[in-house]
Amino acid sequence: MTGAFRTAVAFAAGVGVACLPPLAADRTSADWIAAAHAWWQPTRPASDVILVLLDRRTLAHPAFAGRPRAAWGEPLAQLMESLLDAGVDVLALDVVLPRDDAPALMRVIRRGARDGKLVLGMVAGAAGAAPARAQLVAAGGTRVLAAVNLELDASGRVRTLSQVNGGLPTIGAAMATRAGASAAGVARLLRGALPTLTAWSAADVLDCKTPARLVDAFVDRVVLIGAWLPHEDRHASVLGRLPDAARKLATGTCNGAATTLAFGGDAPGVLLHGLAADHWLHRTALVRLPRAVEVALMAVGALAGAYAHRDRRRWLLVAILLVAWTAVAIGAAQTWLLPWLAVCAALLTAAAAAVALRTAWYARRLAATVPHAFRATPDATQTRTVTACFIDIESFTAATEAIGNPAHVAEELAACLHHLSKIVERNHGFVDKYLGDGLLALFGVDGGDGRADSVAAALACLDACTDGRLRFGGRPLSLRIGLAAGPARVGTLHAGERLHFTAVGDPINVAARLEQLNRALGTRGLADASVAAGVPDAVWRDLGEHALRGRRANVRVFELTRSATRL
């Protein structure tokens, strides 16, 4: 598996994940970025929308106390009259009274409709609640009606508010239209820091004996009357993701005292409609990049992740770019809908895929360094009868000097060792390690004692030198080989954090000394008595006993001749 192939696969995985629907820019990404914008830029723009709340204080007010909802018409008429007298620009009622036809209510509805300021809420749909017929007659028809329905997303939260619901304009859109704005697109609730809506308790409006104060507070404003009660008209929304400081409303009173009113993720409907009206009154719709541009940004992120996974300096550069991209996305959260999350997902997925592919490639290559018998339990060690084979290139130092260029030396040496390794593997051997200009091979690790296989491999290596298939420095290669068989401890050797599969025992030491003994005896392949006795079909020449450096007892040595019968 080449590096280019891993990069291509990681790139494709990054772009593929980024294009999944849950990461679409108009959903999760917009929410996260907008919430971050609220933390980063806490300044909240002022709004012309004022909420007049029918809260607990209002229900305890003498005008409302003891009245069932069906008889709210008269106190609501008094409240609406005070607001119209204060010069409001738009007056919307997010309270549906299906059976109330109080004369005072009819008069104020007629007044508001005549001045083009009134919006009456109703629940759109076949079973929805609508204002009493008498109220519609007083308003001069259904043109004052607006839907108070709210739509939930797949997670069960209110995320956006549409212009139309059930064939009627929604109450927020109707309020904006009455105020002379164009209700275009959908109103997104989570758009950075929320505007500074002002909330009045209806009780404070009713008790205010200073008309000038009401005029100062409400003149030319868009006013929405609705319930703010613990268990009425509450809706789960994405506003719960905002920081606490952003989930507060400024409150107004007749005497000018100001406090704050907090809300959570289960926001009252009157607040959601007020935010929608503010959106259409003061803000332009989020501008979304063309899909081709979004995909291009995802592709850039995926490409960066695919290339950065193996270089710390590249990771640092990508981290800087990611921070810069996040800052741009947060800063533009009020105007541009950037695919922030999708680009981040593309980068991280591509990087993870590249790391996984690279790890799998190394794991596969590492598995090739462990014999089949040990791959199921790579940490196991066993005592086995094995045959060790040391192979060394003769006159390597002189040939290296003749070649001169270290790069050419490395290339030719790698080619020679590769050829020798293939011969070992074809004869059921296992290359334990490369030793500079030679290698150590083990036979019998996967079963048997490996003596016949080791002799066959040694003969094949010597034949490859004779017929010129192995060359080094432009000249035929010459090898020295040592073979020894016996019991050895085979398995993974732990040296600190490093792991290496090898064999430890007397035959490995004897094979190394026999390979060196070739130089003194002028031979090419030497074996101990155990190997010679185990392969009687080979042609051996008994060279007698010899002392090997480091051993007290002499070793009987046999030369493996190249004229041996094929095994």
Side-chain angles (χ1 to χ4, degrees), residues 382-447:
Q382 303 174 17
T383 299
R384 292 193 174 193
T385 298
V386 298
T387 301
C389 174
F390 268 90
I391 303 175
D392 188 74
I393 299 175
E394 190 176 46
S395 301
F396 177 77
T397 303
T400 299
E401 183 182 9
I403 295 174
N405 190 326
H408 293 167
V409 173
E411 291 176 3
E412 294 206 28
L413 178 60
C416 291
L417 294 177
H418 175 73
H419 194 95
L420 294 173
S421 299
K422 289 300 180 183
I423 294 176
V424 169
E425 291 169 1
R426 282 197 299 268
N427 288 277
H428 314 293
F430 167 73
V431 177
D432 180 295
K433 61 174 70 69
Y434 294 116
L435 303 165
D437 58 340
L439 60 84
L440 166 62
L442 301 175
F443 295 84
V445 176
D446 284 322

Side-chain angles (χ1 to χ4, degrees), residues 47 49 171-173 175-176 181 187 222 224 272-282:
S47 173
V49 177
I171 193 167
M175 292 163 63
V222 177
L224 176 62
L272 303 180
H273 293 306
L275 292 173
D278 175 82
H279 174 96
W280 283 309
L281 278 169
H282 301 294

Side-chain angles (χ1 to χ4, degrees), residues 83-453:
L83 294 171
L84 289 173
D85 290 342
V88 299
D89 190 26
V90 176
L91 181 60
L93 186 63
D94 186 17
V95 179
V96 183
L97 302 175
R99 293 182 296 275
D100 202 324
D101 56 359
L105 182 61
M106 299 305 105
R107 286 194 301 270
V108 74
I109 287 177
R110 187 177 300 111
R111 175 185 173 185
R114 183 181 65 246
D115 296 340
K117 298 181 177 183
L118 185 66
V119 177
L120 293 180
M122 67 167 288
V123 181
R133 184 175 181 81
Q135 298 175 35
L136 298 180
V137 171
T142 60
R143 61 185 178 85
V144 299
L145 292 180
V148 298
N149 306 60
L150 294 169
E151 299 175 2
L152 305 180
D153 66 3
S155 64
R157 293 181 173 85
V158 180
R159 185 183 301 271
T160 59
L161 289 94
S162 304
Q163 305 165 261
V164 179
N165 195 308
L168 290 173
T170 56
I171 193 167
M175 292 163 63
T177 302
R178 288 280 193 280
S182 174
V186 298
R188 185 175 300 278
L189 292 181
L190 200 56
R191 286 283 304 276
L194 296 177
T196 307
L197 299 183
T198 302
W200 280 63
S201 171
D204 288 326
V205 177
L206 291 172
D207 288 341
C208 187
K209 305 303 181 184
T210 310
R213 169 60 181 152
L214 292 180
V215 171
D216 289 341
F218 291 98
V219 66
D220 295 330
R221 299 298 183 90
V222 177
V223 179
L224 176 62
I225 302 173
W228 191 291
L229 298 170
H231 304 293
E232 183 174 335
D233 194 25
R234 291 273 176 164
H235 307 272
S237 73
V238 294
L239 300 181
R241 297 177 180 175
L242 289 172
D244 292 341
R247 289 189 276 119
K248 295 182 184 296
L249 301 181
T251 59
T253 58
C254 192
N255 60 13
T259 58
T260 57
L261 181 64
F263 60 89
D266 55 338
V270 63
L271 171 63
L272 303 180
H273 293 306
L275 292 173
D278 175 82
H279 174 96
W280 283 309
L281 278 169
H282 301 294
R283 306 192 194 185
T284 57
L286 280 177
V287 179
R288 180 168 182 171
L289 298 175
R291 185 59 178 170
V293 177
E294 290 185 351
V295 174
L297 289 172
M298 298 173 198
V300 171
L303 194 61
Y307 271 106
H309 74 279
R310 55 185 178 182
D311 191 309
R312 291 184 179 179
R313 289 173 296 181
R314 291 181 184 178
W315 266 118
L316 179 60
L317 177 60
V318 168
I320 293 173
L321 293 175
L322 195 58
V323 170
W325 169 246
T326 301
V328 169
I330 293 174
Q334 297 289 73
T335 306
W336 292 90
L337 182 57
L338 301 180
W340 171 80
L341 185 59
V343 172
C344 295
L347 188 150
L348 296 177
T349 301
V355 171
L357 290 170
R358 187 177 176 86
T359 302
W361 180 78
Y362 275 116
R364 182 178 178 184
R365 296 294 298 270
L366 183 62
T369 66
V370 179
H372 291 282
F374 287 83
R375 290 181 185 178
T377 56
D379 289 337
T381 58
Q382 303 174 17
T383 299
R384 292 193 174 193
T385 298
V386 298
T387 301
C389 174
F390 268 90
I391 303 175
D392 188 74
I393 299 175
E394 190 176 46
S395 301
F396 177 77
T397 303
T400 299
E401 183 182 9
I403 295 174
N405 190 326
H408 293 167
V409 173
E411 291 176 3
E412 294 206 28
L413 178 60
C416 291
L417 294 177
H418 175 73
H419 194 95
L420 294 173
S421 299
K422 289 300 180 183
I423 294 176
V424 169
E425 291 169 1
R426 282 197 299 268
N427 288 277
H428 314 293
F430 167 73
V431 177
D432 180 295
K433 61 174 70 69
Y434 294 116
L435 303 165
D437 58 340
L439 60 84
L440 166 62
L442 301 175
F443 295 84
V445 176
D446 284 322
D449 56 25
R451 289 180 289 185
D453 289 331

